[in-house]
Amino acid sequence: MTTYDAGAVTLRKVRDYVWEMPKQGDMRVPARVFASEALLDEISDDKTLEQLRNATHLPGITKYAICMPDGHQGYGFPVGGVGAMDARDGCISPGAVGYDINCGVRMMTTNLTYDDVQGHEQELVESLFANVPSGLGGGGVFEGTVGDVDAILEDGVQWALRNDWAVPEDLEHCEDEGKRPDADPTAISQKAKDRGKNQIGSLGSGNHFLEVQRVTDVYDDEVADAFDLTEDQVVVLIHCGSRGLGHQTCNDYLRRIEKTHAGLLDSLPDRELAAAPAGSQLADEYYGAMCAAINFAWVNRQLIMHRTRQVFEQVFDRDWRDMEMHLLYDVAHNIAKKEHHQVGVDADGTVVADDGDAVEYETRELYVHRKGATRAFPAGREEVPPAYRAVGQPVIIPGSMGTGSYVLRGGERSMHETFGSTAHGAGRLMSRTQAKKEYRGGDVQTALREHDRIYVKAQSGATVAEEAPGVYKDVDEVVRVSDALGIGDRVARTFPVCNIKG
Amino acid sequence: MSFELREHTADVAVEASGDTLDACFAAVADGLTAAQCDDVPDGVGDRFELSVESERVESLLFDYLDELVYERDVRSVLPADHEAAVTGGDDGTWRVDASARGVPFDAVEAREVKAVTYSEMRVEETADGWHAYVVFDV
């Protein structure tokens, strides 16, 4: 048996790229890490595995706690973590979703080629930076009232459509058609709404960005055709979330759950994992609030995308429809969703981690928590929009501002291995404090421009240093592992042209 | 009182200490400011006050820092130069009465801390004063 010595724990190799942390002590289930040995070297370098082991203590966790190839240390639950908790007798944990509810990525395609954009990069980056609010206190493209916030929380992208920030095709290409039916705006606090009303249509800061990219490689012609992707095509990638409204919502429920379900919390190794028991009032309220915050994040990305269309109209002096600027897809990577999954059970009806121990299979309703992980449903699943149902859900995995990003499609084995999930990005390698010691923002910007023809503009030089390409894992390796595992198949690779950051 | 920004793969951690709990709380808050801005200008912005009550000393620190993040967003200022007075504990209620100088966003080059977390949080009294460790989501 091949093993990997990770210090405090030894992992058993199940097969290529699948490592298991055995169940020990109070762990309810084993944990699995989906990674190459090279990535595992990085994953085991910080507290990721300790946090993954802590996640296995959550009530109702099914099969195993999962770490994706891009996993790294977060708070409470690791980033790159997936935990599926039984929706009947398990729990839902705000910390296993994260503060930035529905932080995610959307990609917009165009009919422009890299040739069309060359020579306009400076104008484009300046205009995007001037027109898309970013950074701390940058406001939003739409200054709303609390009433507007309520409508957004209730209706999601349908609100954007009613207010001329969207076209019907945008909804058809968004998960859940841009509206979570379980959203409950009354479950969002006034404090959260106060923070949200000035941030509708804003990037924020940190690792959030808007990037103009060119498609450099197509790996699967048939799927790329279904996604309307071709080599040399220009696309736009938007990465941000639910802003202060989502952060406050996570915080509000973490504290309420801590006070109400102290007994459950006392059984967990980390206060940040505070969880509401399935069926409790707080579990339902948090789910309603989280779904409403999901709607807010979708509208946030929708408004930024629509404003980007207007910027392209100015820069290229053409109607955005003539440039065929269409939403490819919008994926969340901080979310929990009630989903039905087939699991193997033993003679007692207990879910087993290893299918070899299963006597039959049952369908269970689960709260699938994906924190720094992306849903990656394969072809045929009814949750995948009709436009993509024949080929599988688009999955968008951003790299850093100096490396490529990827478009994948949900892989055939994702339902079986990872509750229909794959990685969410390159994953950080280096701390922000270390990054600022190693890099200067201005030097990074100059190097990107002179060596790679990438135009970067940011509110803060420190942000550029903290997000330098060298602070991230190798996104090519992350995607290679996902593809090899069959959980997310490579479709195309893109490379940055212009990037704006907060 | 003093603070240091500590290494964390994805986020930022603050380790702070003070002779008193008051000083320790204010030092963590100064660390929150430093996590968002490298150079805070002197003499800009008006002071504002805030008070928070909570059930434990750790949750008081959590709620105090959360309130500062909230005030930042609704006042559009970066809270800096923190002062804090912590009371209670005996009857199960903790309270902090605090103030900060609100530096307008246009006077600083600041980045956003999203939230305070409980992850790895420590608030403890030792022979040489109070120590705290807090991870912030960025």
Side-chain angles (χ1 to χ4, degrees), chain B residues 48 50 66-77 79:
Chain B
F48 64 91
L50 67 155
D66 174 54
E67 193 69 15
L68 288 169
V69 171
Y70 170 77
E71 294 288 346
R72 178 202 68 196
D73 277 1
V74 296
R75 291 176 184 267
S76 295
V77 296

Side-chain angles (χ1 to χ4, degrees), chain B residues 4-5 17 21-22 30 32 54 64-65 72 78 80 84 95 97-98 107 111 121 127 129-130 137:
Chain B
E4 294 280 345
L5 299 183
S17 59
L21 194 52
D22 298 358
D30 284 340
L32 169 61
S54 194
Y64 166 48
L65 298 167
R72 178 202 68 196
L78 181 71
R95 179 183 171 94
D97 294 290
R111 307 174 300 287
M121 182 187 274
W130 285 84
D137 180 16

Side-chain angles (χ1 to χ4, degrees), chain A residues 164-468:
Chain A
D164 299 327
W165 288 99
V167 292
E169 294 76 21
D170 295 336
L171 278 67
E172 290 166 17
H173 294 90
C174 191
E175 195 161 297
D176 298 327
E177 297 180 339
K179 177 181 175 175
R180 288 292 300 144
D182 298 313
D184 180 4
T186 67
I188 301 273
S189 71
Q190 188 65 41
K191 276 179 90 169
K193 290 172 186 175
D194 286 343
R195 290 178 70 179
K197 67 186 168 68
N198 301 323
Q199 299 178 341
I200 306 165
S202 63
L203 279 175
S205 53
N207 61 341
H208 291 162
F209 62 81
L210 184 155
E211 199 163 85
V212 179
Q213 306 176 327
R214 59 193 167 100
V215 178
T216 54
D217 302 273
V218 168
Y219 305 104
D220 185 325
D221 288 329
E222 184 192 340
V223 182
D225 193 45
F227 291 173
D228 192 24
L229 292 171
T230 53
E231 275 186 28
D232 221 32
Q233 176 189 15
V234 168
V235 298
V236 178
L237 194 65
I238 296 162
H239 178 206
C240 58
S242 49
R243 310 286 287 109
L245 182 138
H247 313 159
Q248 190 68 49
T249 298
C250 178
N251 207 328
D252 291 343
Y253 280 91
L254 189 72
R255 292 287 286 123
R256 287 181 63 192
I257 290 168
E258 180 191 2
K259 289 174 186 170
T260 307
H261 297 289
L264 171 53
L265 182 57
D266 288 344
S267 71
L268 298 171
D270 189 332
R271 296 197 85 75
E272 192 69 23
L273 291 174
S280 67
Q281 183 184 340
L282 267 181
D284 293 342
E285 273 189 52
Y286 172 66
Y287 193 66
M290 183 190 54
C291 287
I294 289 170
N295 283 342
F296 187 87
W298 273 332
V299 170
N300 191 37
R301 290 197 283 273
Q302 176 68 35
L303 265 53
I304 292 169
M305 184 182 83
H306 205 65
R307 175 57 63 87
T308 301
R309 287 168 169 161
Q310 293 163 344
V311 168
F312 271 64
E313 283 186 333
Q314 287 172 0
V315 171
F316 297 102
D317 196 24
R318 292 165 65 188
D319 190 279
W320 68 263
R321 292 167 190 83
D322 295 338
M323 290 181 275
E324 298 177 8
M325 302 180 77
H326 302 309
L327 177 61
L328 167 63
Y329 203 55
D330 182 304
V331 294
H333 50 229
N334 275 20
I335 201 167
K337 266 190 147 175
K338 280 186 194 170
E339 294 172 1
H340 289 92
H341 288 265
Q342 200 176 54
V343 292
V345 296
D346 64 16
D348 297 328
T350 304
V351 177
V352 294
D354 195 323
D355 284 342
D357 300 328
V359 296
E360 60 178 331
Y361 288 86
E362 288 181 6
T363 299
R364 295 277 173 97
E365 187 179 38
L366 307 169
Y367 285 120
V368 182
H369 297 67
R370 298 186 181 93
K371 181 178 175 183
T374 311
R375 185 153 96 169
F377 279 5
R381 289 286 299 206
E382 66 175 15
E383 297 91 339
V384 179
Y388 306 124
R389 202 166 290 159
V391 293
Q393 177 201 319
V395 175
I396 301 153
I397 298 191
S400 72
M401 61 188 171
T403 60
S405 296
Y406 282 87
V407 180
L408 294 74
R409 58 102 173 250
E412 281 293 328
R413 293 199 50 83
S414 72
M415 303 311 292
H416 187 73
E417 301 280 6
T418 56
F419 298 102
S421 315
T422 191
H424 88 304
R428 281 190 81 93
L429 199 57
M430 186 188 295
S431 74
R432 290 165 197 275
T433 41
Q434 183 65 28
K436 279 190 284 187
K437 287 178 198 158
E438 302 241 343
Y439 302 104
R440 281 192 62 249
D443 294 344
V444 173
Q445 273 171 304
T446 303
L448 288 169
R449 186 162 167 169
E450 291 183 354
H451 297 143
D452 301 304
R453 304 199 61 189
I454 300 167
Y455 291 69
V456 175
K457 192 167 173 71
Q459 295 282 357
S460 156
T463 301
V464 178
E466 289 173 358
E467 296 297 319

